[in-house]
Amino acid sequence: MASVMRVVVYPPDEDGGRRVRVDGEILGRAYGLRDIAEFLRRAGIEYVDEAYVAESGLIEWRGGGPAAWES
């Protein structure tokens, strides 16, 4: 059985960026859905785009959903 990566996107900071953590490792700061998609691709999730990021139930959004980018 394949394990599912745990993805957490933290609340926007004062610059509008959001930390992205996958399986306990901070991958970087995202400034939009495209950045999160790129982090997930680098983590090994194929065929990820902005629509996937916005609609995926596997992403835990803290401090607002996929449309929240300002603190």
Side-chain angles (χ1 to χ4, degrees):
M1 173 189 257
S3 65
V4 175
M5 290 186 199
R6 181 163 183 221
V7 181
V8 179
V9 179
Y10 289 89
D13 62 20
E14 61 278 350
D15 295 325
R18 300 178 76 165
R19 286 183 300 140
V20 178
R21 185 178 77 192
V22 176
D23 284 345
E25 179 182 349
I26 297 290
L27 298 184
R29 184 181 299 173
Y31 291 91
L33 299 179
R34 183 179 305 187
D35 294 336
I36 296 173
E38 181 58 28
F39 291 146
L40 296 180
R41 279 193 289 274
R42 291 179 186 178
I45 301 175
E46 297 182 29
Y47 310 112
V48 176
D49 61 11
E50 292 174 57
Y52 173 89
V53 172
E55 298 170 5
S56 176
L58 300 176
I59 298 174
E60 178 184 340
W61 296 92
R62 296 185 182 173
W69 292 96
E70 295 183 23
S71 57

